[in-house]
Amino acid sequence: MRIDVLGAMRALRDDGSPADLGGPRHREVLGRLVAAEGRMVTTDTLVDDLWTEPPARAVGALRTFVAALRRALEPDRPPRTPPRVIVTEGPGYALRLPREDVDVHRFQDALSRARRDPEAVTDLGAALDTWRGTAYADVTGSAWAQRERTRLEELRLEGVELRARILLDAGGGHDLVAALGAHVAEHPWREPAWGLLARALHRAGRRADALATLRRARTMLVGQLGLDPGPGLRRLETDILQEAGPPEAAPTTWTGHGVRLGPRTTVDLARTLALAGGDALVHSRRDRLAAVQAAERTGDIALTARIIGAYDVPALWSRADDPEQSRAVVAAAERTLAALGSDGPADLVARLLATIATESRSADQSETELRRARQAAGRAEELARDLADPALLAFALNGVFLQSFTRPGLAAARERTGAEILDLATRHELPNFAVLGRLVRLQSASAFGDLDAAASHADAADQLAATTEASLVRVLTGWFRARATAARSTEPGGPAPATAAAHYRVADDALRTAGMPGLHRGLFPLALLGLRLLHDRPAPTDPHLDWGPYRPWARPLVLLAQDRTEEARTALVAVPAPPRDHMQEAMWCLTARAAVRLDERGIAARAAAVLHDAREEHAGAACGMLTLGPVARYLEEARACAGAGRATRTPPAAPSRSASRGNSPGRA
């Protein structure tokens, strides 16, 4: 018995005669078992895959389909003899056929051998010839079949290109021109295909046609996707122009799963612009999203995954500057991830997951979105470690860092993440991530009030920024130096509070044009409020101050400073739990201070419970840009207030499960 699914499904007996597989549902059951590659598929899974809304007797219908398939595949099996092809195993069924008797398994095995051993290219060619059309062509409307078709089509394209590359590397390939020309015409977005066609033309003595092909590739990629050709195509063009040795010697960017995007793609240019800040940062985000959308329109899943994952711009701030754009990128990454399937190339999957983790940082995200982002960060880290790819691991750890604000008190965990990023970046020459590592460690040291260590990291970050042209870095380190001035204004002989306020004003002026509205808005008023709290002064009441996202937590203290006590109480009762970002400790401390001033003991108790694990940190200092002083001060006040009413107050709610887990960022 032989089963073929690379085209319309069919089963052929030893004499070549076809078996009658029955109707569409029968074929789908058989196809689903083929896709499992010998593993058992539970009855529940088969029912869910066959019906969007399973009928009342779905299990009985499934058993009928299986019985009919068994009769078709083993017509000569004696009654009451156990089946050998579709077997019952545990709570489901499995297909038991040698891999060489199923065309899709033969193809996958031939491709795997050819990846390892170029001598297996003949078997790969034979396996490619068995394709008769779209895989599982007559199984329509099923999500599992669509995922398999997408995955297998990507493998087929890889097989075509791998076979051509092996033949060209071996000195042949002049007869591949027609086949590769058709391949490029059908899949014009695949960079390796253009390079292979140019090499085949050159091998056939058609140098001018080879150069014209590379020019067409450039025109198409730039005009349709905004992408410059990668380094492989550029080197090949140079070699052909200079006749520098045989064309097969030109190194390609083949990776085994596709082609790496070159450093001069539009996305990579956007990465460079992002570090410059200002309008360039805004434009880089816009161009990045446009490239993602253009890639999706091509229908090339691998290309889309690489374009999405190529924007590995180090991110430090946990609030997105353009939430809608971030959501669009995350949605595209999730769609692409689903299309790649569970067996997609690990490097592409890891980059998509890391992208989800780094972009999922809007203040208004749901609990489900936050949980998915944390899971994405943890899985990206695992994959990157397995792949031993330093740059990918640094990118994944950036996502881990951004998802490490599940609760107050995780500065130590972020310090470990920052130290590893810095170590990776230093050992493997990743200057932009070295800057990120320094800034993360600056924030962690600032959170613990270690101003000397934080200043050392700030100086090192400034030196790195001078070589990477990352002008945003000095904006952030300028804020840290203002934060340090504010802290030292409380020391004997330290600078005056007015001096610290002036430093904050200078830092705010620099941030105003940095292209980071998600960071800028409300930061200066919050810094002034922190400075006043350090000196036990009331909140600023200037009506022109834009508190931005921090308004709900600052408002009770502002109203108290205006002697509007009952309005302050009403505002305090309405205060929500703060977003899980750099400022959550600061917002809880503001809540605690207002609760103490208003003798709201229940709210004080809740704030004290949340702040307990952050008792060794400084409020707001986790951002490295301002401080409200030690958390312990607010914690003690809140506990004292709550304790005064212990006999009558309602105990605070226990922390949620996600908020009570250990200090492992990105895995909660």
Side-chain angles (χ1 to χ4, degrees), residues 107-108 111 115 151-159:
F107 164 69
Q108 289 178 271
L111 178 58
R115 287 170 177 161
R151 182 181 72 86
L152 291 171
E153 177 62 12
E154 178 61 29
L155 292 180
R156 185 186 73 82
L157 297 178
E158 178 188 338

Side-chain angles (χ1 to χ4, degrees), residues 444-618:
S444 303
S446 171
F448 285 117
D450 189 345
L451 297 183
D452 290 339
S456 175
H457 290 304
D459 291 342
D462 284 342
Q463 291 174 8
L464 285 167
T467 61
T468 59
E469 299 182 1
S471 60
L472 281 178
V473 172
R474 290 194 177 277
V475 175
L476 301 177
T477 56
W479 267 93
F480 162 72
R481 293 185 175 94
R483 170 261 187 274
T485 302
R488 290 179 172 132
S489 71
T490 63
E491 300 172 356
T499 301
H503 283 209
Y504 274 139
R505 173 65 74 182
V506 171
D508 185 61
D509 288 342
L511 183 58
R512 190 181 305 279
T513 57
M516 301 173 70
L519 172 58
H520 175 259
R521 190 159 178 253
L523 193 64
F524 179 62
L526 185 62
L528 291 184
L529 173 56
L531 181 60
R532 286 173 170 262
L533 291 173
L534 287 175
H535 292 273
D536 292 317
R537 295 176 61 190
T541 57
D542 183 346
H544 300 295
L545 289 175
D546 177 9
W547 291 94
Y550 312 114
R551 177 181 172 80
W553 297 274
R555 181 166 172 73
L557 292 175
V558 173
L559 291 170
L560 281 171
Q562 297 170 331
D563 294 325
R564 297 158 65 182
T565 304
E566 290 310 310
E567 290 178 69
R569 192 182 310 279
T570 301
L572 176 63
V573 171
V575 164
R580 295 170 183 177
D581 61 13
H582 289 75
M583 294 299 187
Q584 61 182 317
E585 289 91 346
M587 299 303 103
W588 277 113
C589 286
L590 294 181
T591 299
R593 174 58 61 90
V596 169
R597 295 292 183 268
L598 292 165
D599 198 29
E600 288 289 341
R601 296 168 183 175
I603 296 175
R606 186 163 64 250
V610 174
L611 288 170
H612 174 77
D613 289 344
R615 59 193 178 278
E616 296 180 359
E617 299 179 20
H618 286 234

Side-chain angles (χ1 to χ4, degrees), residues 3-136:
I3 294 177
D4 295 338
V5 300
L6 300 179
M9 291 182 58
R10 66 186 184 185
L12 303 175
R13 301 189 179 92
D14 287 344
D15 61 3
S17 61
D20 183 3
L21 296 179
R25 293 295 190 195
H26 299 74
R27 292 169 176 270
E28 185 169 359
V29 171
L30 180 59
R32 183 63 183 83
L33 294 176
V34 168
E37 299 194 46
R39 297 184 295 273
M40 183 270 290
V41 184
T42 67
T43 298
D44 288 344
T45 298
L46 287 168
V47 167
D48 289 341
D49 284 343
L50 261 65
W51 290 282
T52 303
E53 297 182 4
R57 298 184 179 180
V59 174
L62 173 63
R63 289 171 179 159
T64 300
F65 300 151
V66 171
L69 285 169
R70 284 169 168 169
R71 290 193 297 270
L73 297 176
E74 298 182 74
D76 300 326
R77 178 169 56 87
R80 292 181 294 280
T81 301
R84 295 168 304 177
V85 179
I86 298 180
V87 303
T88 301
E89 184 178 291
Y93 303 98
L95 184 70
R96 291 284 182 260
L97 277 180
R99 289 184 67 82
E100 60 267 21
D101 291 339
V102 182
D103 63 349
V104 66
H105 300 162
R106 286 199 310 275
F107 164 69
Q108 289 178 271
D109 292 347
L111 178 58
S112 295
R113 286 194 299 272
R115 287 170 177 161
R116 299 189 304 268
D117 179 11
E119 296 296 325
V121 67
T122 301
D123 290 343
L124 175 58
L128 285 167
D129 288 341
T130 63
W131 280 73
R132 297 169 291 110
T134 302
Y136 301 98

Side-chain angles (χ1 to χ4, degrees), residues 272-586:
T272 302
L273 289 174
L275 299 171
D279 290 341
L281 175 57
V282 176
H283 291 316
S284 79
R285 294 197 195 99
R286 181 201 62 198
D287 293 344
R288 179 263 188 108
L289 182 59
V292 169
Q293 293 169 338
E296 279 202 290
R297 288 194 294 271
T298 70
D300 188 326
I301 301 302
L303 174 67
T304 303
R306 292 191 179 283
I307 287 179
I308 292 173
Y311 192 85
D312 53 356
V313 176
L316 189 73
W317 188 245
S318 56
R319 183 187 298 275
D321 291 293
D322 189 335
E324 289 305 313
Q325 187 181 95
S326 291
R327 287 184 186 278
V329 172
V330 169
E334 289 177 337
R335 287 192 297 271
T336 307
L337 200 58
L340 282 177
S342 58
D343 296 328
D347 60 331
L348 296 187
V349 170
R351 285 195 168 273
L352 289 170
L353 289 168
T355 298
I356 291 169
T358 55
E359 292 293 336
S360 298
R361 47 197 174 100
S362 298
D364 59 348
Q365 283 191 304
S366 68
E367 189 63 37
T368 299
E369 290 172 321
L370 289 169
R371 183 171 62 254
R372 281 206 307 265
R374 293 195 294 269
Q375 291 170 345
R379 182 59 181 146
E381 180 189 357
E382 291 173 3
L383 288 171
R385 291 192 190 281
D386 290 343
L387 291 166
D389 183 332
L392 179 55
L393 179 55
F395 183 29
L397 288 173
N398 194 174
V400 169
F401 163 74
L402 288 168
Q403 297 304 320
S404 65
F405 296 89
T406 55
R407 58 179 176 82
L410 291 177
R414 292 192 286 274
E415 163 62 17
R416 291 192 294 272
T417 300
E420 183 171 7
I421 291 173
L422 180 58
D423 177 65
L424 278 169
T426 302
R427 287 190 291 112
H428 298 284
E429 298 183 355
L430 305 170
N432 292 333
F433 281 102
V435 172
L436 174 67
R438 287 291 184 186
L439 292 176
V440 170
R441 298 196 70 185
L442 180 157
Q443 289 182 343
S444 303
S446 171
F448 285 117
D450 189 345
L451 297 183
D452 290 339
S456 175
H457 290 304
D459 291 342
D462 284 342
Q463 291 174 8
L464 285 167
T467 61
T468 59
E469 299 182 1
S471 60
L472 281 178
V473 172
R474 290 194 177 277
V475 175
L476 301 177
T477 56
W479 267 93
F480 162 72
R481 293 185 175 94
R483 170 261 187 274
T485 302
R488 290 179 172 132
S489 71
T490 63
E491 300 172 356
T499 301
H503 283 209
Y504 274 139
R505 173 65 74 182
V506 171
D508 185 61
D509 288 342
L511 183 58
R512 190 181 305 279
T513 57
M516 301 173 70
L519 172 58
H520 175 259
R521 190 159 178 253
L523 193 64
F524 179 62
L526 185 62
L528 291 184
L529 173 56
L531 181 60
R532 286 173 170 262
L533 291 173
L534 287 175
H535 292 273
D536 292 317
R537 295 176 61 190
T541 57
D542 183 346
H544 300 295
L545 289 175
D546 177 9
W547 291 94
Y550 312 114
R551 177 181 172 80
W553 297 274
R555 181 166 172 73
L557 292 175
V558 173
L559 291 170
L560 281 171
Q562 297 170 331
D563 294 325
R564 297 158 65 182
T565 304
E566 290 310 310
E567 290 178 69
R569 192 182 310 279
T570 301
L572 176 63
V573 171
V575 164
R580 295 170 183 177
D581 61 13
H582 289 75
M583 294 299 187
Q584 61 182 317
E585 289 91 346

